[in-house]
Amino acid sequence: QVLLVLASILFINPVSAKDPAEGWMGYATATSPDGTGKITYMEAKWKVGAQPRHSNAFFSPWFGIESSDNLNLIQPVNPWLGSYWVIYNEYFQWEPEYNYNSNSHVVKPGDTLFGSVTYNPNNSSYTIYHSSLTDGWSVSSDIAIQKNNDGTPKEFTIAYIVYEKVWPCYYYPPDGEVTFYDIKVEYDGKQVTPKWTTDFVDDNCNNRAEILAGDKVQITWDTN
């Protein structure tokens, strides 16, 4: 519980007003190929990274979706908590500031993870699903969509794949990469090949995202 509280605090950045936030290193952004519609479904798989050195470091690869104003982030996360890897669902809202974490589960290097985010039109919410395909554990979370000032629900139009939290390079997993694959994105109920771009916020350890294919994104970093 203490570590998850620490994790929540570390994901929150008091300086930035919106995403992409300080602490993000390499990341990929996906948007609708024609610039219209909202995300109704996203899924991806990836493998848990190699065992980093034990430390007080906290960092995480994750994917997620965000509102068009960059203030609401729904994400299945996979952080390193200093001595072990975990998975859980997270929702972060910038205004008013709010953070939710689901129950968590310890995973091991090499485990295969699956995450998805599904839009529920009947109650204006998203369901986050996060699982280990290796041991069968899973968790689901329903997140109500925040409303705009005019009372209409916000629209989630942006997808991200991110590696975040800045530490010395030798703290990160020694394999130097994580690959998200079998990525599927739907806008307004139709699967699309999204428009991908890559960038970084904090230039640390040459951490960079690369689009390997329409359904595959790799993030790499230096380890020394």
Side-chain angles (χ1 to χ4, degrees):
Q1 291 292 342
V2 173
L3 286 173
L4 282 181
V5 170
L6 175 61
S8 300
I9 294 170
L10 287 173
F11 265 123
I12 298 169
N13 189 305
V15 176
S16 297
K18 60 174 65 176
D19 296 315
E22 290 183 11
W24 291 25
M25 296 181 290
Y27 68 93
T29 305
T31 54
S32 170
D34 63 6
T36 65
K38 63 175 173 286
I39 296 173
T40 50
Y41 184 76
M42 183 177 182
E43 69 175 43
K45 298 173 185 171
W46 70 101
K47 292 186 181 296
V48 179
Q51 185 87 356
R53 65 171 60 201
H54 284 212
S55 66
N56 63 339
F58 172 88
F59 47 79
S60 180
W62 53 267
F63 82 89
I65 66 170
E66 183 149 60
S67 56
S68 57
D69 59 6
N70 298 97
L71 294 174
N72 306 74
L73 188 60
I74 295 172
Q75 49 188 151
V77 298
N78 173 209
W80 172 254
L81 297 185
S83 57
Y84 53 90
W85 292 101
V86 298
I87 58 173
Y88 56 89
N89 297 329
E90 180 168 13
Y91 169 65
F92 183 70
Q93 176 180 291
W94 285 100
E95 297 177 1
E97 191 173 291
Y98 169 75
N99 192 79
Y100 161 82
N101 289 335
S102 71
N103 292 333
S104 66
H105 178 66
V106 175
V107 290
K108 298 177 181 179
D111 286 358
T112 301
L113 306 180
F114 171 84
S116 66
V117 182
T118 305
Y119 174 63
N120 304 308
N122 58 323
N123 63 359
S124 190
S125 69
Y126 279 94
T127 298
I128 319 173
Y129 177 80
H130 205 352
S131 67
S132 166
L133 298 181
T134 301
D135 65 21
W137 185 88
S138 66
V139 62
S140 292
S141 308
D142 290 330
I143 306 297
I145 297 173
Q146 187 183 31
K147 290 182 170 58
N148 295 301
N149 291 335
D150 63 3
T152 59
K154 290 189 176 186
E155 291 201 342
F156 283 71
T157 59
I158 307 163
Y160 288 120
I161 293 176
V162 180
Y163 213 101
E164 75 167 315
K165 297 310 172 195
V166 173
W167 293 89
C169 301
Y170 57 83
Y171 279 22
Y172 295 116
D175 49 358
E177 63 92 11
V178 60
T179 301
F180 290 78
Y181 62 98
D182 290 348
I183 300 167
K184 180 179 178 181
V185 183
E186 295 181 4
Y187 280 83
D188 294 338
K190 297 180 180 179
Q191 185 173 351
V192 303
T193 300
K195 178 182 178 181
W196 288 103
T197 59
T198 62
D199 206 343
F200 61 89
V201 177
D202 288 310
D203 187 5
N204 184 52
C205 303
N206 197 34
N207 188 294
R208 297 290 188 272
E210 180 181 0
I211 312 306
L212 300 182
D215 65 348
K216 186 181 293 186
V217 175
Q218 185 177 70
I219 298 178
T220 59
W221 55 89
D222 294 338
T223 58
N224 51 45

